[in-house]
Amino acid sequence: MNNLTKAGLFLSFLLWSGSISLSAGENPSQMKELQVKKVSVDATVKADAVPALLDKQRVAFQPINVVNWESFPYSPEVSFRIAYTDKAILLHYKVKEGSVRGKYGVDNEPVYTDSCVEFFLSPAGDNIYYNFECNCVGTILLGGGAPGNRDGATPEVMQLVDRWASLGRVPFEERVGEAEWEVALVIQFDTFYKHQITSLDGKTIRANFYKCGDELAVPHFLSWNPITAKRPNFHLPEFFGTVLFE
């Protein structure tokens, strides 16, 4: 059985089981807003402590469920929650999907082809944005700059992002069958290597949150805020929603 046949059968199963939504169910013209809570901590938070900390602070999950392209209708269950401290942004993702892959284990490899969650943001009101892309084993890809003039982060910058992955950090090929996984990130403000961000208190920024899996048995491309583009593309700051830091 070739890969195309396997993908077709898997897609048919997902349609039958109700795991696929054939429409986005969103009005793309409605940009979302999200309030981000500040949490007080005595020391630098480690990524493996983020889920319990956000539970304690009662930070709610937000769905990533907008299907923007009809040719990629599969919609796994994905949610995220976000908070911040004096020094960092805290992110926690939960995913339930029909297959999972964490092939890449070296930072700045193409993790978007794996089971991947992403956070794009423009933190300073200019045309510079950053893309944080993290696969299910905590490997990240990070770039920054203006559209058409971007570069990748150095290894020193990448080390400023602490990661935790519920599936562990060892890479693996695709496992077909229902899987649940989580990742958490602690993104220090110094990670924004094209800016000098010392505080987010009271700031309003633009951002979007994503889930993708370009090379999975059933590729998919979900977003938090809707995108009206002809083909899958997350590098579109004009479709970032509004994120307000308290």
Side-chain angles (χ1 to χ4, degrees), residues 131-224:
N131 56 293
F132 293 85
E133 309 180 23
C134 181
N135 69 6
C136 60
V137 293
T139 308
I140 63 172
L141 184 154
L142 169 58
N149 184 26
R150 301 175 55 73
D151 57 25
T154 65
E156 291 76 20
V157 170
M158 306 291 280
Q159 292 176 6
L160 298 175
V161 183
D162 192 41
R163 319 89 186 263
W164 167 78
S166 64
L167 297 180
R169 299 296 305 276
V170 178
F172 59 88
E173 292 291 343
E174 186 168 10
R175 303 167 181 168
V176 176
E178 187 173 274
E180 297 185 36
W181 55 274
E182 304 177 32
V183 294
L185 304 177
V186 177
I187 302 170
Q188 297 183 39
F189 295 159
D190 289 342
T191 309
F192 303 121
Y193 59 95
K194 293 186 176 293
H195 296 94
Q196 291 184 335
I197 306 292
T198 58
S199 173
L200 288 174
D201 290 0
K203 297 286 182 65
T204 297
I205 70 167
R206 301 294 302 281
N208 212 343
F209 304 82
Y210 310 108
K211 168 68 175 76
C212 62
D214 294 32
E215 292 183 357
L216 297 188
V218 180
H220 52 274
F221 307 90
L222 305 180
S223 67
W224 168 68

Side-chain angles (χ1 to χ4, degrees), residues 34-45:
L34 178 63
Q35 293 272 357
V36 180
K37 182 176 183 178
K38 185 174 185 179
V39 296
S40 297
V41 292
D42 295 330
T44 301
V45 180

